[in-house]
Amino acid sequence: MRRLVIKDLEGDIENRTARISVIGQGYIGLPTSLLMAKAGFQVLGFDINEELIRELSKGRTRLDREEGIQELISSLLGERYIPTNDERDLMGSDIVLIAVPTPKNANGPDLRMVISALETALRVIREGGLIIIESTLPPGTFERIIVPTVKKHGFSIGSNIYLAYCPERALPGRLINELVNNVRVIGAIDDRSAQLTKLLYKTFVRGEIELVDPLTAEVVKLVENSFRDVNIAFANEVARICEALGIDVRKVRELANKHPRVNLLVPGIGVGGSCLTKDPLFLYWASLENGYEPIILKRARDLNANMPYHYASILDDVVRNIKNGETGTIAVLGATYKGDVPDSRESPVEPFVRELLRKGHRVKVYDPLVTEAFGGEYVSNIFEAVRGADAIAFVTDHSEFRFLNLSKLRKAVKVEDPVVLFDGRMIFNPKEVEEAGFIYISVGMSLSTHKLPIKEFITVR
Ligand SMILES: NC(=O)c1ccc[n+]([C@@H]2O[C@H](COP(=O)([O-])OP(=O)(O)OC[C@H]3O[C@@H](n4cnc5c(N)ncnc54)[C@H](O)[C@@H]3O)[C@@H](O)[C@H]2O)c1
Protein backbone atom coordinates (compact mmCIF):
# COMPACT_ATOMS: atom_id res chain seq x y z
CA MET A 1 0.00 0.00 0.00
CA ARG A 2 1.29 3.46 -0.91
CA ARG A 3 2.07 5.75 2.03
CA LEU A 4 0.23 9.03 2.55
CA VAL A 5 2.44 11.24 0.46
CA ILE A 6 2.75 14.70 2.05
CA LYS A 7 2.10 14.24 5.74
CA ASP A 8 4.26 11.12 5.96
CA LEU A 9 7.40 12.76 4.66
CA GLU A 10 7.03 15.71 7.02
CA GLY A 11 6.50 13.31 9.92
CA ASP A 12 9.42 11.15 8.78
CA ILE A 13 11.70 14.18 8.75
CA GLU A 14 10.53 15.36 12.14
CA ASN A 15 10.86 11.88 13.65
CA ARG A 16 14.16 11.22 11.83
CA THR A 17 12.67 8.08 10.30
CA ALA A 18 13.11 9.32 6.70
CA ARG A 19 15.67 7.18 4.85
CA ILE A 20 18.11 9.49 3.15
CA SER A 21 20.49 8.65 0.30
CA VAL A 22 23.26 11.03 -0.75
CA ILE A 23 24.65 10.57 -4.26
CA GLY A 24 28.32 11.61 -4.40
CA GLN A 25 30.56 11.22 -1.35
CA GLY A 26 33.14 13.92 -2.05
CA TYR A 27 33.91 17.26 -0.42
CA ILE A 28 30.24 18.15 -0.14
CA GLY A 29 28.34 14.85 -0.11
CA LEU A 30 30.32 13.16 2.65
CA PRO A 31 30.17 15.87 5.33
CA THR A 32 26.52 16.57 4.50
CA SER A 33 25.71 12.84 4.90
CA LEU A 34 27.51 12.77 8.23
CA LEU A 35 25.69 15.85 9.52
CA MET A 36 22.30 14.37 8.63
CA ALA A 37 23.31 11.06 10.25
CA LYS A 38 24.40 12.99 13.34
CA ALA A 39 20.98 14.68 13.36
CA GLY A 40 19.45 11.20 13.75
CA PHE A 41 18.70 10.01 10.20
CA GLN A 42 19.82 6.78 8.61
CA VAL A 43 21.96 7.95 5.66
CA LEU A 44 23.27 5.90 2.76
CA GLY A 45 26.32 7.49 1.20
CA PHE A 46 26.39 6.38 -2.44
CA ASP A 47 29.29 6.86 -4.84
CA ILE A 48 30.36 5.23 -8.11
CA ASN A 49 33.99 5.39 -7.02
CA GLU A 50 34.55 1.90 -5.59
CA GLU A 51 37.88 2.70 -4.00
CA LEU A 52 36.41 5.69 -2.18
CA ILE A 53 33.56 3.56 -0.80
CA ARG A 54 36.00 0.79 0.23
CA GLU A 55 38.07 3.34 2.15
CA LEU A 56 35.01 4.97 3.71
CA SER A 57 33.74 1.54 4.81
CA LYS A 58 36.98 1.14 6.74
CA GLY A 59 36.51 4.60 8.26
CA ARG A 60 39.14 6.29 6.10
CA THR A 61 38.74 9.52 4.14
CA ARG A 62 40.95 12.03 2.33
CA LEU A 63 38.99 14.71 4.18
CA ASP A 64 40.55 13.68 7.50
CA ARG A 65 42.08 17.16 7.94
CA GLU A 66 38.63 18.73 7.98
CA GLU A 67 37.77 19.43 11.58
CA GLY A 68 35.21 16.98 12.95
CA ILE A 69 34.91 14.65 9.95
CA GLN A 70 37.01 11.78 11.28
CA GLU A 71 35.18 11.88 14.62
CA LEU A 72 31.79 11.84 12.88
CA ILE A 73 32.80 8.86 10.74
CA SER A 74 34.08 6.97 13.78
CA SER A 75 30.87 7.51 15.73
CA LEU A 76 28.35 7.00 12.91
CA LEU A 77 29.85 4.48 10.49
CA GLY A 78 27.85 1.28 10.15
CA GLU A 79 25.10 2.62 12.41
CA ARG A 80 23.50 5.71 10.95
CA TYR A 81 26.00 6.34 8.14
CA ILE A 82 26.44 3.55 5.60
CA PRO A 83 28.67 4.00 2.53
CA THR A 84 27.72 1.96 -0.53
CA ASN A 85 28.29 1.68 -4.25
CA ASP A 86 25.34 -0.64 -4.80
CA GLU A 87 22.42 1.34 -6.21
CA ARG A 88 19.99 -1.38 -5.05
CA ASP A 89 20.63 -0.37 -1.43
CA LEU A 90 19.03 2.99 -2.19
CA MET A 91 15.69 1.57 -3.39
CA GLY A 92 12.70 3.18 -1.70
CA SER A 93 14.64 6.20 -0.37
CA ASP A 94 12.43 8.92 1.12
CA ILE A 95 14.93 11.65 0.33
CA VAL A 96 17.77 11.69 -2.20
CA LEU A 97 20.37 14.47 -2.14
CA ILE A 98 22.69 14.95 -5.13
CA ALA A 99 26.26 16.24 -4.65
CA VAL A 100 28.20 15.23 -7.75
CA PRO A 101 30.55 17.49 -9.74
CA THR A 102 29.44 19.97 -12.39
CA PRO A 103 32.65 20.61 -14.34
CA LYS A 104 33.10 22.83 -17.36
CA ASN A 105 34.47 21.86 -20.73
CA ALA A 106 35.73 24.07 -23.53
CA ASN A 107 32.22 24.93 -24.73
CA GLY A 108 30.31 25.31 -21.50
CA PRO A 109 29.03 23.47 -18.42
CA ASP A 110 29.21 19.67 -18.41
CA LEU A 111 26.01 18.43 -16.79
CA ARG A 112 26.43 14.74 -17.53
CA MET A 113 27.21 13.71 -13.96
CA VAL A 114 24.28 15.66 -12.53
CA ILE A 115 21.88 14.14 -15.07
CA SER A 116 23.19 10.66 -14.42
CA ALA A 117 22.85 11.14 -10.64
CA LEU A 118 19.33 12.53 -11.14
CA GLU A 119 18.40 9.45 -13.13
CA THR A 120 19.71 7.27 -10.31
CA ALA A 121 17.65 9.32 -7.85
CA LEU A 122 14.51 8.88 -9.98
CA ARG A 123 15.01 5.12 -10.08
CA VAL A 124 15.38 4.73 -6.32
CA ILE A 125 13.12 7.42 -4.82
CA ARG A 126 9.82 6.28 -3.35
CA GLU A 127 6.67 7.89 -4.66
CA GLY A 128 6.10 11.12 -2.74
CA GLY A 129 9.80 11.40 -1.93
CA LEU A 130 12.02 14.48 -2.05
CA ILE A 131 15.01 15.04 -4.36
CA ILE A 132 17.42 17.86 -3.51
CA ILE A 133 20.20 18.97 -5.82
CA GLU A 134 23.21 20.53 -4.10
CA SER A 135 25.52 20.33 -7.13
CA THR A 136 26.16 23.72 -8.71
CA LEU A 137 23.71 24.40 -11.56
CA PRO A 138 24.22 26.99 -14.30
CA PRO A 139 21.32 29.50 -14.48
CA GLY A 140 18.25 28.02 -16.12
CA THR A 141 19.32 24.39 -15.65
CA PHE A 142 16.71 23.61 -13.00
CA GLU A 143 13.76 24.68 -15.13
CA ARG A 144 15.15 23.74 -18.55
CA ILE A 145 16.81 20.39 -17.76
CA ILE A 146 16.11 19.12 -14.23
CA VAL A 147 12.32 19.63 -14.21
CA PRO A 148 11.78 18.09 -17.71
CA THR A 149 13.96 15.09 -16.78
CA VAL A 150 11.86 14.46 -13.67
CA LYS A 151 8.64 14.77 -15.67
CA LYS A 152 9.96 12.44 -18.37
CA HIS A 153 10.19 9.73 -15.72
CA GLY A 154 6.46 10.05 -15.11
CA PHE A 155 6.57 12.15 -11.95
CA SER A 156 4.45 15.19 -11.22
CA ILE A 157 6.39 17.75 -9.17
CA GLY A 158 4.53 18.96 -6.10
CA SER A 159 2.16 16.01 -6.34
CA ASN A 160 3.94 12.64 -6.28
CA ILE A 161 7.48 13.93 -6.04
CA TYR A 162 9.15 16.97 -4.44
CA LEU A 163 12.14 18.70 -5.91
CA ALA A 164 14.45 21.52 -4.80
CA TYR A 165 17.77 23.12 -5.54
CA CYS A 166 19.92 23.99 -2.56
CA PRO A 167 23.34 25.07 -3.86
CA GLU A 168 26.24 24.31 -1.60
CA ARG A 169 28.57 27.17 -0.73
CA ALA A 170 30.81 25.70 1.99
CA LEU A 171 34.56 26.28 1.96
CA PRO A 172 36.99 23.35 2.07
CA GLY A 173 39.11 23.69 5.19
CA ARG A 174 36.02 24.80 7.16
CA LEU A 175 33.45 22.39 5.76
CA ILE A 176 31.59 21.21 8.86
CA ASN A 177 31.50 24.68 10.35
CA GLU A 178 30.17 26.27 7.15
CA LEU A 179 27.70 23.48 6.34
CA VAL A 180 26.13 24.07 9.74
CA ASN A 181 26.38 27.86 10.03
CA ASN A 182 26.11 29.28 6.51
CA VAL A 183 22.85 30.78 5.29
CA ARG A 184 21.04 28.32 2.97
CA VAL A 185 19.21 29.35 -0.16
CA ILE A 186 16.54 26.93 -1.34
CA GLY A 187 15.04 27.22 -4.82
CA ALA A 188 11.87 25.33 -5.70
CA ILE A 189 8.98 25.73 -8.10
CA ASP A 190 6.31 24.70 -5.58
CA ASP A 191 5.77 25.63 -1.99
CA ARG A 192 5.58 22.08 -0.66
CA SER A 193 8.99 21.13 -2.03
CA ALA A 194 10.47 24.29 -0.51
CA GLN A 195 8.89 23.65 2.90
CA LEU A 196 9.96 19.98 3.03
CA THR A 197 13.52 20.93 2.08
CA LYS A 198 13.60 23.66 4.71
CA LEU A 199 12.32 21.20 7.32
CA LEU A 200 15.16 18.81 6.45
CA TYR A 201 17.91 21.45 6.57
CA LYS A 202 16.60 22.77 9.86
CA THR A 203 17.57 19.45 11.43
CA PHE A 204 21.28 20.22 11.03
CA VAL A 205 21.71 23.83 9.87
CA ARG A 206 21.92 26.77 12.28
CA GLY A 207 22.20 29.47 9.57
CA GLU A 208 19.10 31.19 8.20
CA ILE A 209 17.18 29.37 5.47
CA GLU A 210 15.89 31.50 2.59
CA LEU A 211 13.28 30.30 0.10
CA VAL A 212 13.41 31.64 -3.46
CA ASP A 213 12.72 30.53 -7.03
CA PRO A 214 15.29 28.12 -8.59
CA LEU A 215 16.77 30.69 -11.00
CA THR A 216 17.50 33.12 -8.17
CA ALA A 217 19.16 30.30 -6.16
CA GLU A 218 21.27 29.36 -9.20
CA VAL A 219 22.42 32.94 -9.70
CA VAL A 220 23.10 33.64 -5.99
CA LYS A 221 25.48 30.70 -5.81
CA LEU A 222 27.41 31.83 -8.89
CA VAL A 223 27.47 35.47 -7.86
CA GLU A 224 29.16 34.55 -4.59
CA ASN A 225 32.06 32.77 -6.27
CA SER A 226 32.26 35.39 -9.02
CA PHE A 227 32.51 38.07 -6.34
CA ARG A 228 35.50 36.25 -4.90
CA ASP A 229 37.13 35.70 -8.29
CA VAL A 230 36.71 39.35 -9.30
CA ASN A 231 38.08 40.57 -5.97
CA ILE A 232 41.12 38.31 -6.24
CA ALA A 233 41.58 39.54 -9.81
CA PHE A 234 41.55 43.12 -8.55
CA ALA A 235 44.26 42.30 -5.99
CA ASN A 236 46.24 40.58 -8.74
CA GLU A 237 45.76 43.57 -11.02
CA VAL A 238 47.11 45.88 -8.31
CA ALA A 239 50.10 43.53 -7.93
CA ARG A 240 50.78 43.70 -11.66
CA ILE A 241 50.48 47.52 -11.60
CA CYS A 242 52.98 47.67 -8.70
CA GLU A 243 55.36 45.45 -10.65
CA ALA A 244 55.10 47.75 -13.63
CA LEU A 245 55.62 50.87 -11.52
CA GLY A 246 58.46 49.33 -9.55
CA ILE A 247 56.93 49.43 -6.07
CA ASP A 248 56.01 46.78 -3.53
CA VAL A 249 52.35 45.74 -3.38
CA ARG A 250 52.75 44.74 0.27
CA LYS A 251 53.14 48.35 1.35
CA VAL A 252 50.40 49.53 -1.02
CA ARG A 253 47.99 46.92 0.31
CA GLU A 254 48.87 47.56 3.93
CA LEU A 255 48.22 51.29 3.60
CA ALA A 256 45.18 51.06 1.32
CA ASN A 257 43.55 48.60 3.73
CA LYS A 258 43.80 51.16 6.52
CA HIS A 259 41.02 53.02 4.70
CA PRO A 260 37.65 52.10 6.27
CA ARG A 261 36.08 51.07 2.96
CA VAL A 262 38.96 49.16 1.37
CA ASN A 263 39.72 45.48 1.79
CA LEU A 264 42.23 44.43 -0.84
CA LEU A 265 42.77 40.65 -0.86
CA VAL A 266 46.19 39.01 -0.98
CA PRO A 267 47.46 38.71 -4.56
CA GLY A 268 49.10 35.45 -5.61
CA ILE A 269 50.12 33.10 -8.37
CA GLY A 270 46.54 32.34 -9.32
CA VAL A 271 43.14 31.01 -8.40
CA GLY A 272 42.20 27.35 -8.40
CA GLY A 273 39.77 24.73 -7.18
CA SER A 274 36.81 23.25 -8.93
CA CYS A 275 34.40 26.11 -8.08
CA LEU A 276 36.11 29.49 -8.51
CA THR A 277 37.48 28.56 -11.91
CA LYS A 278 34.12 27.61 -13.39
CA ASP A 279 31.34 29.44 -11.53
CA PRO A 280 32.10 32.90 -12.99
CA LEU A 281 32.08 31.34 -16.45
CA PHE A 282 28.72 29.63 -15.82
CA LEU A 283 27.33 33.07 -15.01
CA TYR A 284 29.09 34.67 -17.97
CA TRP A 285 27.82 32.07 -20.44
CA ALA A 286 24.24 32.24 -19.15
CA SER A 287 24.18 36.01 -19.40
CA LEU A 288 25.74 35.97 -22.85
CA GLU A 289 23.09 33.51 -24.03
CA ASN A 290 20.44 35.88 -22.77
CA GLY A 291 21.73 38.97 -24.52
CA TYR A 292 24.16 40.66 -22.15
CA GLU A 293 27.90 40.10 -22.40
CA PRO A 294 29.37 40.69 -18.91
CA ILE A 295 32.43 42.93 -18.97
CA ILE A 296 34.21 42.19 -15.71
CA LEU A 297 33.66 38.45 -15.17
CA LYS A 298 35.57 37.19 -18.19
CA ARG A 299 38.40 39.74 -17.87
CA ALA A 300 38.85 38.84 -14.19
CA ARG A 301 38.90 35.13 -15.01
CA ASP A 302 41.47 35.68 -17.77
CA LEU A 303 43.64 37.82 -15.53
CA ASN A 304 43.62 35.20 -12.74
CA ALA A 305 44.24 32.37 -15.20
CA ASN A 306 47.26 34.22 -16.61
CA MET A 307 49.03 34.69 -13.25
CA PRO A 308 50.83 31.30 -13.17
CA TYR A 309 52.24 31.92 -16.68
CA HIS A 310 53.37 35.41 -15.70
CA TYR A 311 55.31 34.17 -12.67
CA ALA A 312 56.72 31.17 -14.54
CA SER A 313 58.09 33.69 -17.03
CA ILE A 314 59.63 35.86 -14.28
CA LEU A 315 61.21 32.85 -12.60
CA ASP A 316 62.55 31.65 -15.94
CA ASP A 317 64.23 35.05 -16.46
CA VAL A 318 65.69 35.13 -12.96
CA VAL A 319 67.09 31.60 -13.14
CA ARG A 320 68.61 32.25 -16.57
CA ASN A 321 70.19 35.39 -15.14
CA ILE A 322 71.84 33.39 -12.39
CA LYS A 323 72.88 30.64 -14.78
CA ASN A 324 74.22 32.90 -17.52
CA GLY A 325 71.41 32.06 -19.88
CA GLU A 326 71.13 28.36 -19.03
CA THR A 327 68.00 26.72 -17.63
CA GLY A 328 68.13 25.38 -14.07
CA THR A 329 66.50 23.27 -11.41
CA ILE A 330 63.39 24.65 -9.75
CA ALA A 331 61.81 23.18 -6.61
CA VAL A 332 58.09 23.85 -6.59
CA LEU A 333 56.66 23.61 -3.09
CA GLY A 334 52.93 22.98 -3.04
CA ALA A 335 50.64 21.43 -5.62
CA THR A 336 47.15 21.89 -4.21
CA TYR A 337 45.08 24.93 -5.11
CA LYS A 338 44.72 25.95 -1.48
CA GLY A 339 46.71 25.57 1.73
CA ASP A 340 45.97 22.57 3.96
CA VAL A 341 43.40 21.10 1.56
CA PRO A 342 44.36 17.88 -0.28
CA ASP A 343 42.73 18.98 -3.54
CA SER A 344 44.78 19.72 -6.65
CA ARG A 345 41.83 20.11 -9.05
CA GLU A 346 42.27 23.15 -11.28
CA SER A 347 45.31 24.14 -9.22
CA PRO A 348 47.22 27.14 -10.65
CA VAL A 349 50.36 25.15 -9.82
CA GLU A 350 49.65 22.94 -12.84
CA PRO A 351 50.12 25.65 -15.53
CA PHE A 352 53.01 27.07 -13.49
CA VAL A 353 54.88 23.74 -13.50
CA ARG A 354 54.03 22.92 -17.11
CA GLU A 355 55.21 26.34 -18.25
CA LEU A 356 58.54 25.96 -16.42
CA LEU A 357 58.98 22.52 -17.98
CA ARG A 358 58.12 23.94 -21.40
CA LYS A 359 60.82 26.54 -20.92
CA GLY A 360 63.31 23.72 -20.36
CA HIS A 361 63.85 23.70 -16.58
CA ARG A 362 64.08 20.64 -14.39
CA VAL A 363 61.13 20.86 -11.99
CA LYS A 364 60.82 18.96 -8.71
CA VAL A 365 57.50 19.14 -6.90
CA TYR A 366 56.80 18.54 -3.22
CA ASP A 367 53.43 18.77 -1.47
CA PRO A 368 52.73 17.44 2.03
CA LEU A 369 49.16 16.41 1.12
CA VAL A 370 49.15 15.11 -2.45
CA THR A 371 51.58 13.31 -4.77
CA GLU A 372 50.56 15.28 -7.88
CA ALA A 373 53.55 16.69 -9.82
CA PHE A 374 51.90 17.88 -13.08
CA GLY A 375 54.60 16.35 -15.26
CA GLY A 376 57.47 17.38 -12.94
CA GLU A 377 59.33 14.97 -10.63
CA TYR A 378 57.45 14.25 -7.42
CA VAL A 379 59.70 14.27 -4.35
CA SER A 380 58.31 13.10 -1.02
CA ASN A 381 60.57 15.16 1.22
CA ILE A 382 60.92 18.94 1.23
CA PHE A 383 64.68 18.95 1.94
CA GLU A 384 65.29 16.49 -0.84
CA ALA A 385 63.14 18.59 -3.16
CA VAL A 386 65.26 21.72 -2.64
CA ARG A 387 68.65 19.97 -2.88
CA GLY A 388 70.57 21.40 -5.85
CA ALA A 389 67.81 23.90 -6.73
CA ASP A 390 68.57 27.24 -8.32
CA ALA A 391 65.17 28.51 -7.27
CA ILE A 392 62.53 27.45 -4.78
CA ALA A 393 58.97 28.45 -5.55
CA PHE A 394 56.40 28.44 -2.74
CA VAL A 395 53.10 28.30 -4.54
CA THR A 396 50.65 26.95 -1.92
CA ASP A 397 50.17 28.40 1.56
CA HIS A 398 50.30 25.15 3.54
CA SER A 399 50.80 25.65 7.30
CA GLU A 400 53.84 23.40 7.07
CA PHE A 401 55.54 26.01 4.85
CA ARG A 402 54.68 29.04 6.95
CA PHE A 403 56.67 27.75 9.91
CA LEU A 404 59.72 26.44 8.08
CA ASN A 405 63.21 27.09 9.40
CA LEU A 406 64.49 29.03 6.39
CA SER A 407 68.17 28.84 7.35
CA LYS A 408 67.88 25.06 7.55
CA LEU A 409 66.13 25.09 4.19
CA ARG A 410 68.92 27.21 2.67
CA LYS A 411 71.55 24.76 3.97
CA ALA A 412 69.59 21.83 2.50
CA VAL A 413 69.91 23.39 -0.97
CA LYS A 414 73.67 22.71 -0.87
CA VAL A 415 74.37 25.25 -3.61
CA GLU A 416 76.92 28.07 -3.17
CA ASP A 417 75.60 30.30 -5.98
CA PRO A 418 72.68 32.66 -5.40
CA VAL A 419 69.44 30.77 -4.75
CA VAL A 420 66.11 32.43 -5.37
CA LEU A 421 63.08 32.01 -3.15
CA PHE A 422 59.89 32.92 -4.99
CA ASP A 423 57.07 33.61 -2.54
CA GLY A 424 54.00 33.04 -4.70
CA ARG A 425 51.56 33.34 -1.79
CA MET A 426 53.19 36.16 0.15
CA ILE A 427 53.64 33.98 3.24
CA PHE A 428 57.17 35.05 4.22
CA ASN A 429 58.80 38.10 5.67
CA PRO A 430 61.22 39.25 2.92
CA LYS A 431 63.85 40.29 5.47
CA GLU A 432 63.88 36.86 7.11
CA VAL A 433 64.19 35.16 3.72
CA GLU A 434 67.16 37.32 2.80
CA GLU A 435 68.78 36.81 6.21
CA ALA A 436 68.53 33.07 5.62
CA GLY A 437 70.64 33.56 2.47
CA PHE A 438 68.08 33.57 -0.35
CA ILE A 439 67.28 36.17 -2.98
CA TYR A 440 63.65 37.03 -2.29
CA ILE A 441 61.22 37.63 -5.10
CA SER A 442 57.47 37.73 -4.79
CA VAL A 443 54.19 38.75 -6.30
CA GLY A 444 53.79 42.50 -6.83
CA MET A 445 57.44 43.42 -6.44
CA SER A 446 59.65 45.58 -8.58
CA LEU A 447 60.07 44.07 -12.00
CA SER A 448 63.72 45.05 -11.97
CA THR A 449 64.27 41.30 -11.53
CA HIS A 450 62.77 40.95 -14.95
CA LYS A 451 64.76 43.71 -16.61
CA LEU A 452 68.13 43.76 -14.89
CA PRO A 453 70.88 41.17 -14.64
CA ILE A 454 70.70 39.47 -11.28
CA LYS A 455 73.85 41.10 -9.89
CA GLU A 456 72.44 44.56 -10.53
CA PHE A 457 69.15 43.44 -9.02
CA ILE A 458 70.90 42.42 -5.82
CA THR A 459 72.65 45.80 -5.67
CA VAL A 460 69.42 47.65 -6.27
CA ARG A 461 67.76 45.94 -3.32
N1 LIG B 1 34.33 21.28 -3.22
C1 LIG B 1 33.84 22.48 -2.96
O1 LIG B 1 34.51 23.33 -2.39
C2 LIG B 1 32.42 22.85 -3.31
C3 LIG B 1 31.85 23.93 -2.65
C4 LIG B 1 30.56 24.29 -2.98
C5 LIG B 1 29.88 23.60 -3.97
N2 LIG B 1 30.47 22.58 -4.61
C6 LIG B 1 29.71 21.88 -5.65
O2 LIG B 1 29.28 20.65 -5.11
C7 LIG B 1 29.26 19.65 -6.13
C8 LIG B 1 30.11 18.49 -5.68
O3 LIG B 1 31.44 18.91 -5.55
P1 LIG B 1 32.53 18.10 -4.71
O4 LIG B 1 33.67 19.02 -4.54
O5 LIG B 1 31.90 17.48 -3.52
O6 LIG B 1 32.92 16.98 -5.74
P2 LIG B 1 33.88 15.72 -5.47
O7 LIG B 1 34.57 15.45 -6.73
O8 LIG B 1 34.68 15.93 -4.22
O9 LIG B 1 32.86 14.56 -5.17
C9 LIG B 1 31.89 14.16 -6.06
C10 LIG B 1 31.71 12.66 -5.98
O10 LIG B 1 30.62 12.33 -6.82
C11 LIG B 1 30.90 11.04 -7.36
N3 LIG B 1 30.04 10.84 -8.53
C12 LIG B 1 30.13 11.41 -9.75
N4 LIG B 1 29.10 11.02 -10.53
C13 LIG B 1 28.36 10.17 -9.78
C14 LIG B 1 27.17 9.45 -10.01
N5 LIG B 1 26.51 9.53 -11.18
N6 LIG B 1 26.69 8.68 -9.03
C15 LIG B 1 27.33 8.58 -7.85
N7 LIG B 1 28.44 9.25 -7.55
C16 LIG B 1 28.95 10.05 -8.51
C17 LIG B 1 32.38 11.07 -7.66
O11 LIG B 1 32.89 9.76 -7.72
C18 LIG B 1 32.91 11.86 -6.46
O12 LIG B 1 33.36 11.03 -5.42
C19 LIG B 1 29.77 20.34 -7.40
O13 LIG B 1 28.70 20.75 -8.19
C20 LIG B 1 30.53 21.54 -6.88
O14 LIG B 1 30.52 22.58 -7.81
C21 LIG B 1 31.72 22.16 -4.28
Side-chain angles (χ1 to χ4, degrees), residues 23-29 46-49 52 62 99-102 113 116-117 134-136 168-170 172 221 274-275 278 345:
I23 303 183
Q25 289 295 287
Y27 277 87
I28 298 304
F46 176 72
D47 203 291
I48 48 173
N49 181 334
L52 185 142
R62 66 188 161 140
V100 299
T102 333
M113 282 188 262
S116 162
E134 283 216 1
S135 298
T136 303
E168 190 44 69
R169 299 122 80 217
K221 154 77 190 172
S274 65
C275 289
K278 68 165 197 247
R345 285 179 294 179

Side-chain angles (χ1 to χ4, degrees), residues 20-33:
I20 303 179
S21 299
V22 178
I23 303 183
Q25 289 295 287
Y27 277 87
I28 298 304
L30 173 63
T32 305
S33 304

Side-chain angles (χ1 to χ4, degrees), residues 102 111 114 133 135-139 141-142 146 165 218 222 282:
T102 333
L111 296 173
V114 172
I133 300 180
S135 298
T136 303
L137 297 181
T141 305
F142 192 87
I146 304 296
Y165 174 52
E218 287 166 340
L222 300 178
F282 283 6

Side-chain angles (χ1 to χ4, degrees), residues 322 389-392 410 413 415-421 437-440:
I322 295 173
D390 301 295
I392 300 171
R410 178 65 186 88
V413 180
V415 168
E416 295 276 310
D417 291 339
V419 176
V420 169
L421 187 150
F438 290 104
I439 297 167
Y440 181 82

